[in-house]
DNA sequence: TTGTAAGCGTTATCAT
DNA sequence: ATGATAACGCTTACAA
C-alpha cells in the first residue's frame, strides 16, 4: 500500500539510489534532479519504511524500560524522565512491566530493541537507580546509575536531629534485608544517630512489608498503638511518609508541631500532601539522563564492549512543611 | 553476531526452509529431521530476528500510546491498563508523550508501530477514554472507547443529594468549554439539580484552569474566601477532589461531616487520601481492553477498513469516607 | 552525478 | 518431506 523507494524512483525517472541520496542529503546531486525527486516524494506521499531500515542497519531506535508497575508514582515519574531523556537521544521507549527482571520477561522484546533499562535488577521491589544493558545476552556488562542511599538518609536524619528531635523513627526497615536500598538507608539512619551520640533503639526501627502508602499507614498505626514515644519519622520513601501522614492526621497528631516527618523520592505527591512533605530529591532526572546516555554509548560502540560502569548522582534535601521549625521553640 | 536461520540450517545439514518449518510447527517434518534442527537451534543459540520477521510480515507487534504525561496518575494508571491489555493481545507498547495529538508527534514512530492509541484527540487536556487508529494516515477511521461522562456526574451529584446536601459545588467547570469531558460533566451536574427541583446557582459552578490537585486546592480556597455557603463538592476528577480535600483539611472543615466530597476517576490515590475519597470508577480496565482489542482487529483486517466505531462503557460509584453518612443525622 | 546490484534475516511459493 | 529461490524495502559498495 505505502509508497516505496522504487515508486518514487519510477515517478521521478531516476534510480532508487538517487532517491536515497536525496533523502539522506548526500552531496553531488544536481538541483534539478533533487527537485524532481522531492516532488515525486511529495506526490506519492512517501515515508521511509523504518522496519526495512532497521533490518539493514541492525538498529531500531527503540529501547525498553522494564519496571514493576506504573501505578507506583515513583516508577511513573522515573518513566517520564527516561522517556524525555531518550527523546533527546533520538530514542523511543517501550515500557515493559515485570516484577524482578527475569530473563524470560526480557526475551520478550529483546530482539526489537537496541538496549534495555531496568529500574530494579534483583527480585527486590526496591530500586536504586537504573541499570542499563544491551539486549545481547545475560552475561553482557551492566551499567548502573545509582543514588547516595546511605548519605541521603543520614542527611535526612541529621535534619530532624538539628530540629531538636531525639526519638526518631526509621520507617521502612525490612527484617531480613542485608542488601538493597533498604539496608543502605537503615545504615544511614544509624550512622546519623551514632554521630549525634544517640543509642540506636530497636523499637524505633519499624519494619514494613513493602514501601507503600498502605504499609506506611499501617506501620504508623502499630507504632502509635505500641505506645512508644517518638517525635520524628524518617521514612525510607515518600509513599511510606505519605501513609504515615495519613495515620497521624487521623489520630489528630500535628505535623510538624508534635512529629517531624521526612521522606525520600520527591514525588509530585510530596508537594501536595497535608502538610507538604519534606523529602530527599534523589536526582531522578539526572539518573534517567545518565542511564540513557550510557546505554546510547553502548549501542554506538557495539562490538567494543565497554566495561561495566557505575555512576552515583548527588541528592538534595527539599524542605517543606512537614519539618518546618516549630513556632514556639 | 547472532545466529541466523542459515547458520542453523548449515549445522543441521538441511535447508533454511526446513528450519523455518520446524520453528513454525509446520506439518510434514520427519521426527529425526526435526530433532536434528532443534539440536542445532539449541547449539548455536538461535533466536529469530524480529526485525527481519517484521519486514517480511509488515507487522511489528508494537503499538504506541500517546499521552500528555505519565506524572499525572490518571494517565499512568491508564497506561498500565493499556500495557496489560496489549500483553494479552501479544502486543508491546511504546509510550510517547505529547500534548495534543498533533500529527508531527505521531509521525515520529508511526512507521514502527502497527497502530496507535491516543488518550486525547484534540488539544484539550481533558480526556474521555481512548482513541484507536492505524498509523496509515490522518484520514483513516478512528475508533473511540469512551465513558458516560454526563450520566456518571449526574449519579455523583444525586449521591450527594440523597445525603441531604443542597448546596453542591461543581468543581472543574471551565469557562469557554462547549465540548469535551468538562462540558459533558457540567451537564450531568445540572441535570441532577434540575431533576431534584433545585435551581442552578452560578456561584456554585467553580471554574479551574486545569484539572490538577493544585487548581482544585486553589479553587476551593477561593470558594471559601468568597463566603458562598456549600455542603457538598462534586469534583470533575479525583485530582481536583484531592486538592479540595487538602484545602478543607487546612481550614479544619470536616469531611464528610460538614462537606461531602465526590471525585471522578477512581485513582489509587483516592483510596489513601484523608478521608478516603468517594469517586466514580469510569471503567478504566474495560476502556483499555476494548481499545486494544479494537485496534488489534483493525490491524488484523488491514485492507478492509472497518468503519469508525464508538463504544461507551459503564461506570460505577465507589463509596468511601468522604461521603459517609453523617453519624448524627 | 547517477545507476546496478548485493545483502540484511525472514517467510512463502514453488518444485522435487 | 525437503530444497531453491524470490520477495519484503532499504542502504551502500562499486561501476559507469
Amino acid at each position: 500500500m505505502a509508497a516505496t523507494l522504487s515508486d518514487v524512483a519510477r515517478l521521478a525517472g531516476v534510480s532508487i539510489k538517487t532517491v536515497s541520496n536525496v533523502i539522506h542529503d548526500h552531496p553531488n546531486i544536481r538541483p534539478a534532479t533533487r527537485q524532481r525527486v522531492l516532488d515525486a516524494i511529495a506526490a506519492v506521499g512517501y515515508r521511509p519504511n523504518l522496519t526495512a531500515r532497521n533490518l539493514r542497519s541492525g538498529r531500531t531506535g527503540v529501547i525498553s524500560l522494564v519496571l514493576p508497575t506504573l501505578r507506583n508514582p515513583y516508577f511513573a515519574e522515573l518513566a517520564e524522565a527516561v522517556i524525555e531523556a531518550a527523546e533527546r537521544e533520538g530514542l523511543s521507549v517501550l515500557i515493559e512491566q515485570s516484577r524482578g527482571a527475569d530473563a524470560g520477561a526480557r526475551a520478550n522484546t529483546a530482539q526489537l530493541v537496541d538496549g534495555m533499562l531496568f529500574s530494579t535488577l534483583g527480585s527486590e521491589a526496591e530500586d536504586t537507580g537504573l541499570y542499563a544493558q544491551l539486549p545481547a545476552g545475560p552475561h553482557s556488562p551492566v551499567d548502573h546509575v545509582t543514588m547516595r542511599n546511605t548519605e541521603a538518609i543520614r542527611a535526612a536524619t541529621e535534619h530532624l536531629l538539628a530540629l531538636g528531635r531525639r526519638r526518631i523513627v526509621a520507617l521502612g526497615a525490612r527484617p531480613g534485608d542485608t542488601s538493597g536500598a533498604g539496608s543502605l538507608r537503615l545504615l544511614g539512619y544509624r550512622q546519623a544517630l551514632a554521630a549525634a551520640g544517640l543509642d540506636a533503639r530497636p523499637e524505633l526501627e519499624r519494619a514494613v512489608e513493602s514501601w507503600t502508602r498502605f504499609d506506611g499507614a499501617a506501620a504508623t498505626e502499630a507504632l502509635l498503638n505500641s505506645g512508644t514515644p517518638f517525635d520524628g519519622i524518617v521514612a525510607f520513601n515518600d509513599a511510606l511518609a505519605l501513609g504515615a501522614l495519613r495515620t497521624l492526621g487521623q489520630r489528630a497528631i500535628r505535623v510538624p508541631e508534635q512529629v517531624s516527618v521526612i521522606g525520600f523520592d520527591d514525588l509530585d505527591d510530596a508537594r501536595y500532601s497535608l502538610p507538604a512533605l519534606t523529602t530527599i530529591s534523589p536526582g531522578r532526572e539526572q539518573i534517567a539522563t545518565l542511564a540513557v546516555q550510557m546505554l546510547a554509548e553502548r549501542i554506538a560502540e557495539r562490538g567494543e564492549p565497554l566495561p561495566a560502569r557505575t555512576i552515583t548522582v548527588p541528592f538534595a534535601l527539599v524542605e517543606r512543611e512537614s519539618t518546618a521549625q516549630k513556632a514556639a521553640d
Side-chain angles (χ1 to χ4, degrees), chain A:
Chain A
M1 279 275 53
T4 75
L5 267 192
S6 33
D7 293 332
V8 176
R10 198 174 320 115
L11 183 60
V14 299
S15 80
I16 64 171
K17 178 64 208 300
T18 301
V19 179
S20 177
N21 281 342
V22 170
I23 289 169
H24 293 282
D25 271 332
H26 273 246
N28 300 342
I29 304 171
R30 210 175 333 179
T33 314
R34 157 188 300 271
Q35 194 50 54
R36 204 143 35 92
V37 169
L38 290 177
D39 290 346
I41 286 177
V44 300
Y46 170 78
R47 310 268 307 139
N49 178 322
L50 291 191
T51 308
R53 194 175 273 183
N54 294 342
L55 176 58
R56 228 354 262 240
S57 68
R59 305 262 167 86
T60 65
V62 178
I63 61 176
S64 62
L65 171 62
V66 183
L67 39 74
T69 172
L70 281 173
R71 298 186 91 103
N72 182 326
Y74 175 83
F75 292 112
E77 294 186 20
L78 184 66
E80 165 126 348
V82 166
I83 289 172
E84 283 173 357
E87 198 170 338
R88 275 180 254 126
E89 299 280 336
L91 296 167
S92 300
V93 180
L94 198 146
I95 294 196
E96 210 153 348
Q97 301 196 96
S98 154
R99 327 258 152 188
D102 48 314
R106 300 189 197 186
N108 231 356
T109 57
Q111 312 295 315
L112 276 181
V113 300
D114 293 340
M116 313 192 284
L117 254 26
F118 301 91
S119 63
T120 169
L121 202 56
S123 58
E124 309 296 308
E126 299 165 19
D127 95 295
T128 179
L130 278 172
Y131 297 85
Q133 192 179 27
L134 292 181
H139 301 305
S140 66
V142 181
D143 294 321
H144 187 192
V145 185
T146 185
M147 54 185 97
R148 302 207 168 280
N149 287 289
T150 303
E151 294 83 348
I153 283 290
R154 177 168 175 170
T157 310
E158 285 168 347
H159 181 62
L160 298 199
L161 288 168
L163 293 169
R165 303 310 192 178
R166 284 299 174 271
R167 305 191 58 91
I168 300 174
V169 173
L171 184 58
R174 269 205 307 216
D177 263 18
T178 59
S179 71
S183 59
L184 292 173
R185 294 182 190 181
L186 183 55
L187 182 62
Y189 164 80
R190 287 177 177 165
Q191 282 180 358
L193 292 192
L198 295 177
D199 288 337
R201 298 166 179 268
E203 73 273 20
L204 292 180
E205 296 181 358
R206 309 301 295 198
V208 296
E209 265 293 304
S210 61
W211 285 6
T212 61
R213 209 177 280 222
F214 186 84
D215 281 5
T220 305
E221 192 80 39
L223 176 65
L224 290 168
N225 292 341
S226 75
T228 310
F230 63 96
D231 56 12
I233 297 180
V234 173
F236 286 6
N237 80 350
D238 280 355
L240 290 168
L242 293 167
L245 288 185
R246 186 198 203 280
T247 296
L248 295 172
Q250 246 169 349
R251 299 290 200 96
I253 294 170
R254 276 165 302 126
V255 177
E257 292 81 356
Q258 295 172 266
V259 174
S260 304
V261 178
I262 184 167
F264 191 118
D265 278 348
D266 196 19
L267 301 183
D268 286 344
D269 279 344
R271 215 173 319 216
Y272 299 112
S273 60
L274 185 59
L277 183 66
T278 295
T279 187
I280 298 290
S281 172
R284 183 165 29 254
E285 277 69 29
Q286 206 184 343
I287 288 174
T289 302
L290 289 171
V292 169
Q293 282 176 351
M294 289 168 93
L295 189 54
E297 270 180 56
R298 268 194 195 285
I299 292 170
E301 310 283 337
R302 187 78 60 84
E304 314 274 328
L306 304 163
R309 294 165 293 177
T310 294
I311 297 183
T312 308
V313 308
F315 64 90
L317 196 154
V318 183
E319 288 194 56
R320 299 207 183 91
E321 299 164 6
S322 69
T323 62
Q325 195 67 246
K326 287 174 289 183
D329 206 29

